[in-house]
Amino acid sequence: MITEPADTAPEDELIVRIGRGTSAATDGLSGKREAIVRAATSLFLRHGYQGTSTDQIAAAASVSKQTVYNQFRDKKTLFQEIILGVTATAERFANGLPDELARVRADEDLEPALRGLAHRYLAAVLNPQVLALRRLIIGETNRFPELAAEYYERAPARVLAALTDVFADLCGQGLLTGDPTDAAEDFAFLVLGRALDHGMFHIDDAPVDTAQARRTADRAVTVFLAAYRRRP
Amino acid sequence: MITEPADTAPEDELIVRIGRGTSAATDGLSGKREAIVRAATSLFLRHGYQGTSTDQIAAAASVSKQTVYNQFRDKKTLFQEIILGVTATAERFANGLPDELARVRADEDLEPALRGLAHRYLAAVLNPQVLALRRLIIGETNRFPELAAEYYERAPARVLAALTDVFADLCGQGLLTGDPTDAAEDFAFLVLGRALDHGMFHIDDAPVDTAQARRTADRAVTVFLAAYRRRP
Amino acid sequence: MITEPADTAPEDELIVRIGRGTSAATDGLSGKREAIVRAATSLFLRHGYQGTSTDQIAAAASVSKQTVYNQFRDKKTLFQEIILGVTATAERFANGLPDELARVRADEDLEPALRGLAHRYLAAVLNPQVLALRRLIIGETNRFPELAAEYYERAPARVLAALTDVFADLCGQGLLTGDPTDAAEDFAFLVLGRALDHGMFHIDDAPVDTAQARRTADRAVTVFLAAYRRRP
Amino acid sequence: MITEPADTAPEDELIVRIGRGTSAATDGLSGKREAIVRAATSLFLRHGYQGTSTDQIAAAASVSKQTVYNQFRDKKTLFQEIILGVTATAERFANGLPDELARVRADEDLEPALRGLAHRYLAAVLNPQVLALRRLIIGETNRFPELAAEYYERAPARVLAALTDVFADLCGQGLLTGDPTDAAEDFAFLVLGRALDHGMFHIDDAPVDTAQARRTADRAVTVFLAAYRRRP
DNA sequence: AATGAATGAGTATTCATTCAT
DNA sequence: TATGAATGAATACTCATTCAT
């Protein structure tokens, strides 16, 4: 119904190749599959699951409708594959977190290191596409409860687990006290809470306000350390 | 993966009378209006905006479809009126917060008072219907950006403002230090962050786990006071 | 797809009013319902269940597609209501049979009376629309087994039961011997067998060949009486 | 009311090799052709012509869709070749009938011989697959009138012709009187009539009830001989 | 000859909305 | 005002058939 031909918003960062054929030999064949994923991701993120028709997806991918169905059994399957594919990106981000703090050695390094971590974390989550993905999944939690739960496990929960590892290590170094799991949660939501809550209810295609994000990160670290820094 | 819960959840708490006819005189006439609101609220919360048809609303309200259109012009209008009506409930909760801490006078009262506040706040937000409403609005933020923004102002932001007032007062009493606005945000998300993040991605009709909520509230207050309690 | 505007084959005999509103007051309202039944009956008889689309039905009835769905929940329901409605016509025919032989009193009346009965029976069943209905139901027996069984009970089996009553009466009068049920079956298929078998596999819109039917009827009665006439 | 039997019924008896390549040399090449015929026969018998898609046929034959089209031009052609191929089986049955009665010599052999013939005939026609084939062709008589007529000529009519030959021979031996053609028809439908009529409208995968079939055959022969046996 | 992918028209059904009463 | 019936466009999905390899 609603046709948006000039549809060029670059969600490309979030779009990953999904499916079987990734080898060079099949690249030509699965070009259409990738086009469908790309188009559907963009449409789902902007109009939601129900608000996106298979006609629109096929048109946006410059592909016939049946090709969509040949590649993805039905709309539900396409949606799930896309969400899970995109989720993998978030998973990779989480898995990369621990390395960032691996080099913290002495007391004087801790606070700036945490500030850097907090800032990168905040910037990653406030990315407009990441926010759009969260809105999409949250809005479809009733329809796809298992998909939502799986996303939670592989993205937010995975980040918390990574932070827990980080803080357990820092406790082991004698830099922090308290339960690492609690520390991870408190750190995460001191950093993200307000911005994420606001971001859920506001569409803003502008990139993250870096200065604001840095102030938020710095304050979060200050409060966090007031509670969790080991005092001699 | 698609789940359709039975159509019998009593959202009555959230359903308030909306619209013009609230006086006793018009009660007979707007009984149908209320039935429509009640039915539509229930359906929208469970199946979303696009997942709810006007046929379903009319049938659930035992009313003809044209009556729905006579009362609400179109589906969008009905949706917006319902969301704003339900938002008023959240607004009232926010407005009641400051009174809760008005009686705190001496240092020894502060921590238990904050714990009680934190627990009531957490329990209120984790109410299954409140979570469902959040999911609904978040999922429709793209379609109804102004509605989402208005909800944010009248519910989450209103609570933060109320907490800011509370903490400004406590700072004035010499019990806390720091910026009251920052304190309000940090308090709010230390309390809510994790549970709300989890709640967005998990359907759970069970009532809030009180013991767990209390532990969370207590820990949040401890961390909060480590950073914001005025030290002599 | 296939549009047949000049579709004026008069199946009207078979089409009976189906449904709730038959009173004069609702006649105007259910005019469309009747048009749908009329159009769908014609199309189903000619193109089968799967070969008839709801688009075609709506077009042939000069009605919108949704009106078809408002009146008949879905295509299956429409098909079943039509078949059962038409079946009622066959049922009435069966119920009228016993009266035809009620007047047989003396031995000399028996043979001509049976010949008349046989001829009317044969002519009724060889009616092109009746044959088309049989083909339709037989062809859909896999898809609608209960409907086919119900048709069988209310049409062919009902006729056999009526003939059984007739022959039981004639046995009671001392005109026939043997089991009335056997007699009914043998009579029925001596009369119909060949013509019906042939008719199933040949489309022939021409009316029944009366002379041929009479010869068949006469021969059937001769063979039948050779076996079942009581000999003094 | 719609029933979809499991896809495992072994119609192999009815499936014969169809088409050009039957010699040993081409067996390798037409193995796929045979697989297609086998799969399509099974599907057509169970779901009808329109109810069977070329996708299903290709999948059931473990063959690509294009291979189906390479072998059979289009769906109609495939259907017709299958029906005609299966018809050949019925034809062979008819052609074998005369030999069965060739040995009848004396009066005392006649009745048991006819009973045996009647029973075998009845059992052959009541075979579930034969009934399914009849339903299929009858249901498609409007769409494939010439195919239905050809089936009729090569199966039911061929049996009647064979029976006519049998009875002409028996008349020549002085065992029967009357017109052999009439005798054949009356014999055929005294035997089959009721069971065939019932069988058209009832799906029953169970094998024929032998005792019941024998009783029917015996009664049919009794009535038949009452009319056609030559009396000295 | 065989394949997997592609096509465009068609399937039953439902949508938000409006009209006649 | 409230209703039941009606509408035309859209929904997800499937069809028989063909193309490139």
Side-chain angles (χ1 to χ4, degrees):
Chain A
M1 185 207 299
I2 294 177
T3 310
E4 308 210 11
D7 205 336
T8 52
E11 284 90 0
D12 297 23
E13 296 171 38
L14 268 184
I15 300 172
V16 297
R17 182 117 15 124
I18 295 169
R20 37 206 179 186
T22 327
S23 75
T26 59
D27 245 52
L29 289 176
S30 57
K32 302 219 173 184
R33 186 180 177 91
E34 186 180 332
I36 294 166
V37 167
R38 197 178 292 275
T41 303
S42 171
L43 288 165
F44 281 143
L45 285 178
R46 273 175 302 137
H47 306 304
Y49 176 74
Q50 302 229 67
T52 301
S53 75
T54 53
D55 277 289
Q56 288 169 354
I57 292 169
S62 300
V63 143
S64 90
K65 216 187 314 184
Q66 179 64 13
T67 300
V68 176
Y69 281 90
N70 282 344
Q71 298 278 359
F72 302 90
R73 189 144 44 87
D74 55 16
K75 193 186 175 186
K76 254 155 50 191
T77 303
L78 171 58
F79 183 71
Q80 289 169 330
E81 291 205 22
I82 283 178
I83 297 301
L84 293 183
V86 175
T87 298
T89 305
E91 218 170 4
R92 275 192 292 277
F93 169 79
N95 290 336
L97 281 184
D99 292 339
E100 301 208 18
L101 283 221
R103 67 185 186 285
V104 174
R105 285 283 162 248
D107 191 297
E108 59 256 70
D109 282 326
L110 180 60
E111 185 155 1
L114 286 179
R115 287 182 170 182
L117 174 67
H119 179 249
R120 276 188 300 278
Y121 180 24
L122 186 53
V125 174
L126 295 189
N127 174 291
Q129 298 170 47
V130 173
L131 293 180
L133 178 65
R134 274 185 66 102
R135 282 189 218 107
L136 176 60
I137 297 173
I138 287 172
E140 299 300 338
T141 294
N142 268 287
R143 198 179 313 276
F144 298 95
E146 295 172 21
L147 185 65
E150 182 159 359
Y151 171 80
Y152 182 79
E153 285 308 313
R154 291 174 54 189
R158 191 70 200 75
V159 170
L160 288 179
L163 289 176
T164 300
D165 289 348
V166 166
F167 293 135
D169 191 41
L170 294 175
C171 287
Q173 293 180 47
L175 298 175
L176 297 182
T177 58
D179 179 57
T181 302
D182 291 350
E185 290 182 11
D186 291 342
F187 179 83
F189 293 100
L190 281 169
V191 172
L192 287 184
R194 173 67 197 277
L196 189 53
D197 198 40
H198 182 277
M200 286 295 94
F201 297 97
H202 296 85
I203 304 292
D204 189 359
D205 283 342
V208 181
D209 176 339
T210 305
Q212 172 62 29
R214 197 164 294 280
R215 276 195 301 279
T216 300
D218 290 350
R219 174 157 62 85
V221 170
T222 301
V223 172
F224 174 77
L225 287 179
Y228 286 96
R229 167 176 265 152
R230 178 174 209 99
R231 297 175 191 288
Chain B
M1 215 154 180
I2 289 182
T3 306
E4 304 216 10
D7 272 4
T8 51
E11 284 89 0
D12 296 23
E13 298 171 37
L14 267 184
I15 299 173
V16 298
R17 182 120 10 130
I18 294 169
R20 29 202 183 187
T22 328
S23 73
T26 59
D27 246 48
L29 287 176
S30 57
K32 302 210 173 185
R33 187 178 177 91
E34 183 180 335
I36 293 166
V37 167
R38 195 177 294 272
T41 302
S42 171
L43 288 165
F44 282 142
L45 285 178
R46 272 173 301 140
H47 305 305
Y49 175 73
Q50 302 231 64
T52 301
S53 73
T54 54
D55 276 284
Q56 289 169 346
I57 293 169
S62 301
V63 143
S64 93
K65 224 182 318 181
Q66 180 65 15
T67 301
V68 176
Y69 279 88
N70 284 342
Q71 296 279 0
F72 293 95
R73 188 139 62 88
D74 60 13
K75 195 185 173 187
K76 272 176 82 162
T77 303
L78 170 59
F79 183 72
Q80 288 168 326
E81 292 205 22
I82 281 178
I83 296 302
L84 293 183
V86 175
T87 298
T89 304
E91 217 170 4
R92 275 193 291 279
F93 169 80
N95 290 337
L97 281 183
D99 294 338
E100 302 208 19
L101 282 220
R103 67 184 186 286
V104 173
R105 286 286 161 249
D107 190 297
E108 59 256 73
D109 283 326
L110 179 62
E111 186 154 0
L114 285 180
R115 287 181 171 184
L117 174 67
H119 179 249
R120 277 187 301 277
Y121 180 25
L122 187 53
V125 174
L126 294 189
N127 174 290
Q129 298 169 45
V130 172
L131 293 179
L133 178 66
R134 274 185 67 100
R135 283 190 218 106
L136 175 61
I137 298 173
I138 287 171
E140 300 299 339
T141 294
N142 269 287
R143 199 181 314 277
F144 298 95
E146 295 170 20
L147 184 65
E150 181 159 1
Y151 171 81
Y152 182 79
E153 285 308 314
R154 290 174 54 189
R158 191 69 201 73
V159 170
L160 288 179
L163 288 175
T164 300
D165 290 348
V166 167
F167 293 136
D169 190 41
L170 293 173
C171 286
Q173 294 180 49
L175 298 175
L176 297 180
T177 58
D179 179 55
T181 302
D182 291 349
E185 289 182 12
D186 291 342
F187 179 83
F189 293 101
L190 281 168
V191 172
L192 286 185
R194 173 68 197 275
L196 189 54
D197 198 39
H198 182 277
M200 285 296 93
F201 297 97
H202 296 85
I203 302 292
D204 189 0
D205 284 340
V208 180
D209 176 339
T210 303
Q212 172 63 31
R214 198 164 294 280
R215 276 195 302 276
T216 301
D218 291 350
R219 174 158 64 85
V221 169
T222 301
V223 172
F224 174 77
L225 288 179
Y228 287 97
R229 169 176 263 152
R230 176 175 208 97
R231 299 177 191 285
Chain C
M1 183 209 297
I2 294 178
T3 311
E4 307 208 10
D7 204 334
T8 51
E11 285 89 1
D12 298 22
E13 296 172 38
L14 269 183
I15 300 172
V16 298
R17 182 122 11 128
I18 294 170
R20 37 206 178 186
T22 328
S23 73
T26 59
D27 244 51
L29 289 176
S30 58
K32 301 217 173 186
R33 186 179 177 92
E34 186 181 331
I36 294 166
V37 168
R38 196 177 293 275
T41 302
S42 171
L43 289 164
F44 281 143
L45 285 178
R46 273 175 302 137
H47 306 304
Y49 175 74
Q50 302 229 66
T52 300
S53 74
T54 53
D55 276 289
Q56 288 169 354
I57 293 170
S62 299
V63 141
S64 90
K65 217 184 318 183
Q66 178 64 13
T67 300
V68 175
Y69 280 90
N70 283 344
Q71 298 279 357
F72 302 90
R73 188 143 44 87
D74 55 16
K75 194 187 174 187
K76 255 155 51 191
T77 303
L78 170 58
F79 182 71
Q80 289 168 328
E81 290 205 23
I82 283 178
I83 297 301
L84 294 183
V86 175
T87 297
T89 304
E91 218 171 4
R92 275 192 292 277
F93 169 79
N95 290 337
L97 280 183
D99 292 339
E100 303 208 19
L101 282 221
R103 67 184 186 286
V104 173
R105 286 285 162 248
D107 190 297
E108 59 256 71
D109 283 325
L110 181 60
E111 186 155 359
L114 287 179
R115 288 181 170 182
L117 175 67
H119 179 250
R120 277 189 300 277
Y121 180 25
L122 187 54
V125 174
L126 295 189
N127 174 292
Q129 298 170 46
V130 173
L131 293 180
L133 178 65
R134 274 185 67 100
R135 281 189 219 106
L136 175 60
I137 298 172
I138 287 171
E140 299 299 339
T141 294
N142 268 287
R143 198 180 312 276
F144 297 96
E146 295 171 22
L147 185 65
E150 181 158 0
Y151 171 79
Y152 182 79
E153 285 306 314
R154 290 174 55 188
R158 192 67 201 75
V159 169
L160 288 179
L163 289 176
T164 300
D165 289 348
V166 166
F167 293 136
D169 191 41
L170 295 174
C171 286
Q173 294 180 47
L175 298 175
L176 298 180
T177 58
D179 179 56
T181 302
D182 291 350
E185 290 182 11
D186 291 342
F187 179 84
F189 293 100
L190 281 169
V191 172
L192 288 183
R194 172 69 197 276
L196 189 54
D197 198 39
H198 182 276
M200 284 297 92
F201 296 97
H202 296 85
I203 303 294
D204 190 359
D205 283 342
V208 180
D209 177 339
T210 304
Q212 172 61 30
R214 198 163 294 279
R215 275 195 302 279
T216 300
D218 291 351
R219 174 157 64 84
V221 170
T222 301
V223 172
F224 174 76
L225 287 179
Y228 287 97
R229 168 176 264 151
R230 177 175 209 97
R231 296 176 193 287
Chain D
M1 215 157 178
I2 290 183
T3 308
E4 303 214 11
D7 273 2
T8 53
E11 284 88 1
D12 296 22
E13 295 171 38
L14 268 183
I15 299 172
V16 299
R17 183 117 14 126
I18 294 171
R20 30 205 183 190
T22 327
S23 73
T26 59
D27 246 50
L29 288 175
S30 56
K32 302 211 173 184
R33 187 179 177 89
E34 184 180 334
I36 293 166
V37 167
R38 197 177 292 274
T41 303
S42 172
L43 288 165
F44 282 142
L45 285 178
R46 273 174 300 140
H47 305 304
Y49 175 74
Q50 302 232 65
T52 301
S53 73
T54 53
D55 276 284
Q56 289 169 345
I57 293 169
S62 301
V63 143
S64 91
K65 225 183 316 182
Q66 180 65 12
T67 301
V68 176
Y69 279 88
N70 284 343
Q71 296 278 0
F72 293 95
R73 188 139 61 88
D74 59 15
K75 194 186 174 188
K76 271 177 83 160
T77 303
L78 171 58
F79 182 72
Q80 289 168 326
E81 291 204 22
I82 282 178
I83 297 301
L84 293 183
V86 175
T87 298
T89 303
E91 218 170 4
R92 276 192 291 278
F93 169 80
N95 291 337
L97 281 183
D99 293 339
E100 302 208 18
L101 282 222
R103 67 185 185 285
V104 174
R105 285 286 164 247
D107 191 296
E108 58 256 75
D109 283 326
L110 180 60
E111 187 154 359
L114 286 179
R115 287 181 171 184
L117 175 67
H119 180 249
R120 279 187 299 278
Y121 180 25
L122 186 53
V125 174
L126 295 188
N127 174 290
Q129 298 170 46
V130 173
L131 293 179
L133 179 65
R134 276 184 65 100
R135 282 190 217 104
L136 175 60
I137 298 173
I138 287 172
E140 299 299 338
T141 294
N142 268 288
R143 198 181 316 276
F144 298 95
E146 293 171 21
L147 185 66
E150 181 159 0
Y151 170 80
Y152 182 79
E153 285 307 315
R154 291 173 55 188
R158 191 68 201 76
V159 170
L160 287 180
L163 289 176
T164 299
D165 290 347
V166 167
F167 292 136
D169 190 41
L170 294 173
C171 286
Q173 294 179 47
L175 297 175
L176 298 181
T177 59
D179 178 55
T181 302
D182 291 351
E185 290 182 11
D186 291 343
F187 179 84
F189 293 101
L190 281 168
V191 172
L192 287 184
R194 174 66 197 277
L196 190 54
D197 198 39
H198 182 276
M200 285 296 93
F201 296 98
H202 296 85
I203 303 293
D204 190 0
D205 284 340
V208 180
D209 176 341
T210 304
Q212 172 63 28
R214 199 165 292 280
R215 276 195 302 277
T216 300
D218 291 351
R219 175 157 64 83
V221 170
T222 301
V223 171
F224 175 77
L225 288 178
Y228 287 97
R229 167 177 263 152
R230 177 174 207 98
R231 297 176 191 287

